[in-house]
Amino acid sequence: MVRSKPAKIRSTDEAKTYSHPESDSPLRPEVGTQAHFPKKKLKAPKIYRYDSSISPSLEWDTNPARDQTDALIAEILNADSLEQVKAAALRLKAMSQPFLNWTGKAERLSFDVPTLPLFIHERLSTRAIIETVRGHKKGGDQLALELFGDPQHSIVDQTLKAYEHRDEWVNRMMLGDSLTVMNSLLEYEGLGGQVQMIYIDPPYGVKFGSNFQPFVRKRDVKHNEDQDMTREPEMVKAYRDTWEMGLHSYLSYLRDRLVLARELLIESGSVFVQIGNENVHHVRELMDEVFGTNNFVSIIQFQKTGGSASSLLASTVDYLIWYAKDKEKVKYRQLYIQRQIGDAALDRYDQVLLPDGSTRRLTADEILGLTPLLEGKRYQLTSLISDGATNSPSDFVFEGKTYIPRAGTHWKTTVQGLEELARQNRIEVMGTVLRYRRFVDDFPVIPLTDRWESTQLGVGLMYVVQTSPSVIQRCILMTTDPGDLVLDPTCGSGTTAYVAEQWGRRWITCDVSRVPLALARQRLLTATFPYYELKDSKRGPAGGFVYRRKQNKKGEEVGGIVPHIQLQNIANNERPKEEILVDRPEILKGITRVTGAFTFEATIPTPVQTEEQEQDETLEATGSFVDRLLGVLRKTPVLQLGGNRTVKFQSIRKPTRSLNLSAEATIATVSENGNGATPQPVAFVFGPENGQVIQRTVYQSAIEACAKNYSHLYVIGFAIEPNARELIENCEEVTGIPATYVQATPDLLMGDLLKNMRSSQIFSVCGLPDVGIQLEGDLYRATLYGLDVFDPVTMESDHRSGNDVPAWFLDTDYNGLCFHVCQAFFPKTGAWDNLKKALKNTHEESVWGHLAGTISAPFEAGKYRQIAVKVIDDRGNELLVVKSL
């Protein structure tokens, strides 16, 4: 694409954002409302069936597809119209196409996906954070709601009207398995046929760890390598890294997600899958099967940041496989790249017209760009002749000599046109024929093809497998318009959301890991973008951007509209065609644009704690999920405590006659005199598969564990309510038995796709934020002293300083439901530096000091007179504590 100078950002009184007034989305409930969510709104798992006409083999006599073939032939013979014949013939043809087969495919004719509502956990807004800190208070409910994109519906509205009432559009980030998230978008929100572009960046190969970064603060994790992890080896074990059946599980994983991606796409939509050379052929075959061979558009190769080590040829490119929902209707915007000195596209422009009218050939060094061309206009000589005889007059006199096309050919224009070309100094004699002078300036750009160079990311990786923004930017600009919806079910470091935000597209992104989502939130909250001029500010980006033709002092085209001068334009003395460079909209200088309001959502919390549903939860606790989790615990019995310390469980089994406990085991604890270790019995309680651990579950389990003389209670869950977390910290005082909360990695929700091995570390102990509140006159401050992590082996707490925390957020008026990020702190990263420079003239230095430290800016007591502090630890786990003012 054309490279333009970066926007010069000048400070203004406030940071601005784009909104999408022409779009809306269904009202979604906030995380604290699940207890009121009507049971009638809960939906059964959705079953998706594969195309039964695609047989796992082509053995006609033994395959049930033979009956379908006979039926289709009969349908063709008895058809009443040509359209019916064509439709049946196409289905018959599809049955005989070659396809990819793998273990388990033939037996799996369908798959079912949990249909879960999405709950809003956080509302985030960079503008709200800046205004809150600058004003040292919330700034009034109306201002806060506007900045957060939060209309603040009542609990009744959020539950009874959920997914029925429409709200203003706010971009969305989600925690959960992409399969579950996409199914929720289809079944609860009716987004089928509404997504314009989907970008999927799955693991490149069968090593699942290749797409995961297990540690928030460390960015140089190699592909499944841990040589540099000697200080904290648990970092490389934070996620399972092997598919249960290798490539077979990998293909099942990808096919299921492609099926749902197809359902989400609009008819003009596109899907891109980024992949390496290891499995590009398999993915192409998969996409042929899901989208149809007739909807294949292209395989694009692009340069990656570095070459992969190899004893033979090093791999320097990755691939984008592009399919359309319907190739006949696909939306496409041609992209162009600037002609650069030394590029192959300029090699044929080997002549120069000097100011005195003379010409010469460029030297080899000038063509390569080693020697600058100091004067003159660069051009190439092209033919003035086309094939085919003509009866029109053909004699043309140039510089006293008459030229006539040879037999069977004709001039590309009329004789009058040739005369106009001569007047414009566009004709030159080459040997015995006339040639047309085509200058580089006639069209200073060239169309982008399927080979993308100069897309390397360079330095500054946020994420181990981060994709270059320029790659995703080209995909977005080629296949979407401002205001269109873009989906990335493989969030990673949030590059797709970042680029979509920059170019005024609506976006949804999700990930099964908390680590990339923690990085993506930081990236989006602290980003700055050029403010592209809108055609209609009332319509937002959906109204389009403004493009203008502009030239610099050298006469070079630097605007978003460039002329495309062709021979016929000059010959006929007509206005040349103009091309729009969609990546060069007009930039309004003096405006700092930041990320618009967005939400952080999850599929996790859905338990409804009525008596009837408590019984349902108890039944669930004795069902297949608990059995599966018990099997995982047996295969991965080591619990990481940080600092290279571990707890190893032995004899893991189900307890006998238990009302609340899920499992029991023994561990070796240090004796009082420090000599040797004594086995101690411990108990486990598992939280729900699709819900939070609640206070009642912890209390009842602790009472039973204490009565049965267990030494410790481990509470394992994917999420936990704040009051349940607080009870765990004080469990020994309240119930007589100490307890520890253990965070399970969300990739467990992917079912049996991933292998559980002893090297896998999918359980980790989370600390509790140590937060203090200070009253200064009429204002309050919150201080994060650090994290306290309980050690169940030594029975002591390990303290970690607040300055050693990657990120923490503050809601200065927590309503017990959704968390509003009023202040966001990144003590270790300096993440606010770019925004600090952009707004240095309008914001006090103290503002940025607060946002980089452990002490909040002053704030007023709000309506609810309580605050909430959320800490993101090194593994992306979210640790929430609520304090009353």
Side-chain angles (χ1 to χ4, degrees):
M1 286 179 301
V2 177
R3 295 180 178 177
S4 57
K5 294 183 179 179
K8 185 178 180 181
I9 299 177
R10 301 173 186 170
S11 298
T12 55
D13 291 338
E14 64 174 354
K16 293 188 176 181
T17 62
Y18 284 157
S19 61
H20 297 273
E22 288 202 347
S23 302
D24 57 22
S25 63
L27 168 66
R28 300 178 303 284
E30 295 178 350
V31 65
T33 63
Q34 64 267 24
H36 308 278
F37 199 75
K39 189 174 182 180
K40 65 180 182 181
K41 284 186 178 287
L42 299 178
K43 299 182 178 182
K46 173 71 173 180
I47 298 175
Y48 293 88
R49 300 192 181 279
Y50 301 118
D51 188 348
S52 60
S53 68
I54 302 177
S55 167
S57 66
L58 298 179
E59 297 176 359
W60 294 95
D61 291 336
T62 59
N63 197 288
R66 176 66 180 268
D67 294 335
Q68 299 177 31
T69 305
D70 293 339
L72 287 173
I73 293 174
E75 187 175 329
I76 292 173
L77 294 175
N78 300 324
D80 296 327
S81 66
L82 182 61
E83 288 75 14
Q84 292 177 343
V85 172
K86 186 176 180 181
L90 288 174
R91 283 154 52 199
L92 182 61
K93 181 181 179 181
M95 294 178 63
S96 62
Q97 291 296 312
F99 62 93
L100 182 65
N101 192 23
W102 61 86
T103 299
K105 182 180 181 182
E107 295 80 13
R108 195 164 177 247
L109 300 179
S110 65
F111 63 102
D112 55 344
V113 187
T115 305
L116 304 175
L118 289 160
F119 287 83
I120 298 175
H121 287 231
E122 296 175 16
R123 293 187 183 271
L124 304 100
S125 166
T126 303
R127 283 188 65 201
I129 293 170
I130 295 172
E131 295 305 317
T132 299
V133 176
R134 183 172 65 167
H136 299 314
K137 56 184 179 181
K138 200 163 187 178
D141 285 346
Q142 192 59 42
L143 175 62
L145 297 182
E146 177 185 347
L147 296 180
F148 281 115
D150 183 4
Q152 203 169 40
H153 297 281
S154 68
I155 292 179
V156 174
D157 285 345
Q158 290 187 54
T159 53
L160 296 183
K161 296 182 180 179
Y163 300 105
E164 298 173 4
H165 176 77
R166 306 298 293 183
D167 252 352
E168 291 185 2
W169 177 267
V170 178
N171 291 322
R172 307 166 65 181
M173 180 181 294
M174 303 172 188
L175 172 67
D177 180 10
S178 55
L179 201 63
T180 304
V181 169
M182 289 193 288
N183 185 53
S184 180
L185 296 177
L186 287 165
E187 295 301 305
Y188 267 104
E189 304 188 26
L191 276 181
Q194 295 190 40
V195 178
Q196 179 59 44
M197 193 272 271
I198 298 177
Y199 193 95
I200 304 176
D201 182 9
Y204 277 11
V206 296
K207 296 178 181 178
F208 191 73
S210 63
N211 216 42
F212 273 127
Q213 174 176 321
F215 212 59
V216 170
R217 294 184 300 158
K218 191 171 184 65
R219 301 197 295 252
D220 57 346
V221 183
K222 300 297 188 295
H223 179 91
N224 247 23
E225 295 178 1
D226 60 351
Q227 291 90 335
D228 59 339
M229 302 290 187
T230 54
R231 287 186 297 110
E232 295 192 70
E234 69 269 23
M235 286 163 27
V236 296
K237 300 177 183 178
Y239 297 93
R240 294 175 291 168
D241 62 359
T242 305
W243 297 90
E244 179 64 32
M245 293 192 297
L247 181 61
H248 305 279
S249 294
Y250 175 77
L251 294 173
S252 295
Y253 157 88
L254 194 54
R255 180 175 65 156
D256 293 352
R257 282 147 185 81
L258 289 172
V259 168
L260 269 68
R262 180 191 62 202
E263 299 302 312
L264 285 164
L265 282 177
I266 196 171
E267 290 301 302
S268 61
S270 295
V271 58
F272 294 88
V273 175
Q274 179 180 327
I275 199 70
N277 59 7
E278 182 180 1
N279 284 310
V280 62
H281 53 303
H282 291 323
V283 176
R284 167 73 193 273
E285 291 163 334
L286 267 185
M287 299 184 75
D288 274 346
E289 180 175 316
V290 175
F291 291 93
T293 56
N294 55 314
N295 289 316
F296 168 74
V297 179
S298 181
I299 292 184
I300 302 164
Q301 58 176 325
F302 64 93
Q303 285 183 293
K304 55 185 178 180
T305 302
S308 299
S310 173
S311 59
L312 301 174
L313 284 177
S315 174
T316 61
V317 297
D318 284 334
Y319 301 90
L320 288 173
I321 307 179
W322 176 13
Y323 276 74
K325 176 71 174 289
D326 184 342
K327 192 175 179 180
E328 298 297 322
K329 302 176 182 177
V330 67
K331 180 182 289 188
Y332 177 65
R333 305 289 179 255
Q334 178 64 58
L335 300 184
Y336 299 90
I337 55 176
Q338 189 78 42
R339 298 181 190 270
Q340 301 286 340
I341 299 297
D343 287 351
L346 275 177
D347 287 352
R348 288 178 294 177
Y349 289 82
D350 57 354
Q351 306 285 330
V352 60
L353 177 64
L354 299 173
D356 62 2
S358 62
T359 64
R360 68 173 178 86
R361 185 180 295 275
L362 271 67
T363 66
D365 285 349
E366 287 174 329
I367 292 176
L368 293 174
L370 301 177
T371 301
L373 183 61
L374 300 179
E375 59 179 359
K377 296 177 65 177
R378 190 169 175 176
Y379 69 96
Q380 66 168 316
L381 293 173
T382 63
S383 176
L384 279 169
I385 301 294
S386 293
D387 291 335
T390 179
N391 295 324
S392 301
S394 299
D395 293 3
F396 172 61
V397 179
F398 180 72
E399 294 180 347
K401 184 177 179 180
T402 300
Y403 294 87
I404 304 174
R406 68 179 182 273
T409 65
H410 64 278
W411 299 116
K412 287 186 176 180
T413 183
T414 62
V415 172
Q416 292 77 13
L418 292 172
E419 292 171 351
E420 182 62 31
L421 291 175
R423 280 192 293 271
Q424 296 282 345
N425 200 21
R426 288 285 186 149
I427 296 181
E428 181 177 326
V429 178
M430 182 179 178
T432 60
V433 297
L434 298 182
R435 294 286 184 177
Y436 168 68
R437 285 176 177 164
R438 178 179 292 159
F439 293 102
V440 171
D441 295 341
D442 287 351
F443 194 42
V445 295
I446 56 175
L448 186 69
T449 65
D450 61 358
R451 182 181 178 185
W452 296 357
E453 299 178 353
S454 303
T455 57
Q456 298 95 326
L457 187 65
V459 298
L461 279 169
M462 283 190 63
Y463 193 56
V464 60
V465 288
Q466 182 174 336
T467 301
S468 170
S470 64
V471 174
I472 299 177
Q473 176 176 304
R474 289 177 174 180
C475 296
I476 287 178
L477 294 178
M478 279 196 310
T479 60
T480 70
D481 291 324
D484 284 343
L485 179 56
V486 174
L487 168 67
D488 185 346
T490 51
C491 177
S493 63
T495 302
T496 300
Y498 176 88
V499 175
E501 183 72 36
Q502 175 182 350
W503 292 99
R505 274 65 170 174
R506 295 177 293 135
W507 54 265
I508 299 174
T509 189
C510 71
D511 206 294
V512 73
S513 165
R514 296 179 185 271
V515 170
L517 294 180
L519 294 170
R521 267 181 292 182
Q522 172 184 316
R523 183 179 187 184
L524 289 166
L525 279 176
T526 60
T528 59
F529 307 102
Y531 193 98
Y532 302 125
E533 185 178 349
L534 302 174
K535 288 183 179 179
D536 185 350
S537 58
K538 293 181 180 179
R539 297 185 59 195
F545 297 143
V546 173
Y547 296 88
R548 295 190 180 95
R549 182 181 177 187
K550 294 191 298 186
Q551 294 179 320
N552 60 17
K553 294 179 180 180
K554 297 180 180 179
E556 298 170 336
E557 300 288 342
V558 294
I561 299 177
V562 297
H564 190 173
I565 300 174
Q566 296 176 299
L567 182 152
Q568 59 265 30
N569 303 138
I570 302 172
N572 299 329
N573 199 18
E574 61 186 17
R575 184 183 181 89
K577 179 183 177 182
E578 292 181 332
E579 304 288 355
I580 294 179
L581 310 183
V582 294
D583 62 320
R584 275 196 195 175
E586 285 296 297
I587 296 175
L588 292 183
K589 297 183 178 180
I591 297 178
T592 299
R593 184 162 72 88
V594 296
T595 300
F598 65 97
T599 59
F600 183 87
E601 306 172 30
T603 58
I604 287 178
T606 57
V608 185
Q609 295 305 318
T610 63
E611 291 185 5
E612 177 184 355
Q613 289 166 326
E614 282 179 22
Q615 295 175 2
D616 292 342
E617 185 176 311
T618 302
L619 292 174
E620 178 187 15
T622 60
S624 59
F625 170 68
V626 169
D627 291 336
R628 181 156 55 90
L629 206 58
L630 190 63
V632 172
L633 189 60
R634 286 170 177 159
K635 291 184 178 180
T636 58
V638 178
L639 178 66
Q640 293 290 342
L641 303 179
N644 294 331
R645 294 172 301 152
T646 61
V647 173
K648 186 174 182 180
F649 302 112
Q650 297 175 336
S651 303
I652 301 169
R653 59 190 177 274
K654 281 188 176 182
T656 56
R657 298 179 183 178
S658 175
L659 296 175
N660 304 285
L661 302 177
S662 306
E664 64 180 9
T666 60
I667 62 171
T669 59
V670 179
S671 61
E672 292 183 3
N673 58 16
N675 296 326
T678 304
Q680 296 288 335
V682 297
F684 298 88
V685 60
F686 300 150
E689 181 176 10
N690 296 306
Q692 291 177 308
V693 177
I694 63 171
Q695 187 180 40
R696 184 182 294 106
T697 299
V698 176
Y699 181 78
Q700 293 175 345
S701 301
I703 292 295
E704 180 179 349
C706 183
K708 292 183 176 180
N709 296 319
Y710 289 104
S711 64
H712 204 90
L713 173 67
Y714 291 91
V715 181
I716 299 180
F718 298 105
I720 186 168
E721 292 183 340
N723 52 2
R725 189 71 176 84
E726 186 175 355
L727 174 59
I728 288 175
E729 294 303 311
N730 303 294
C731 196
E732 188 169 16
E733 299 176 13
V734 176
T735 67
I737 185 172
T740 298
Y741 176 60
V742 179
Q743 181 77 50
T745 59
D747 68 46
L748 280 171
L749 299 175
M750 294 176 64
D752 59 358
L753 284 172
L754 298 177
K755 182 180 292 186
N756 303 308
M757 303 181 297
R758 289 188 176 271
S759 60
S760 303
Q761 180 54 57
I762 53 182
F763 301 110
S764 59
V765 173
C766 298
L768 188 69
D770 183 6
V771 177
I773 303 176
Q774 299 81 39
L775 179 62
E776 301 176 358
D778 295 330
L779 300 177
Y780 294 85
R781 283 185 188 270
T783 301
L784 176 66
Y785 296 114
L787 284 176
D788 290 326
V789 182
F790 181 77
D791 186 339
V793 176
T794 63
M795 304 298 285
E796 296 178 354
S797 291
D798 178 42
H799 181 78
R800 182 174 179 178
S801 169
N803 287 315
D804 200 30
V805 168
W808 67 286
F809 304 142
L810 170 67
D811 186 341
T812 58
D813 191 22
Y814 183 56
N815 62 6
L817 303 176
C818 179
F819 188 100
H820 290 73
V821 182
C822 300
Q823 299 182 33
F825 308 86
F826 304 103
K828 297 188 70 67
T829 62
W832 291 107
D833 288 350
N834 287 339
L835 198 55
K836 175 182 175 181
K837 293 176 183 177
L839 301 174
K840 62 183 178 181
N841 295 331
T842 57
H843 290 67
E844 298 177 2
E845 185 71 22
S846 60
V847 169
W848 310 107
H850 287 305
L851 296 178
T854 59
I855 303 175
S856 76
F859 57 89
E860 292 180 343
K863 173 182 176 182
Y864 301 99
R865 298 198 63 81
Q866 67 177 359
I867 69 167
V869 171
K870 180 178 291 187
V871 176
I872 310 296
D873 72 6
D874 291 325
R875 285 193 177 87
N877 295 320
E878 299 173 5
L879 319 169
L880 182 68
V881 62
V882 179
K883 295 280 188 180
S884 297
L885 297 179

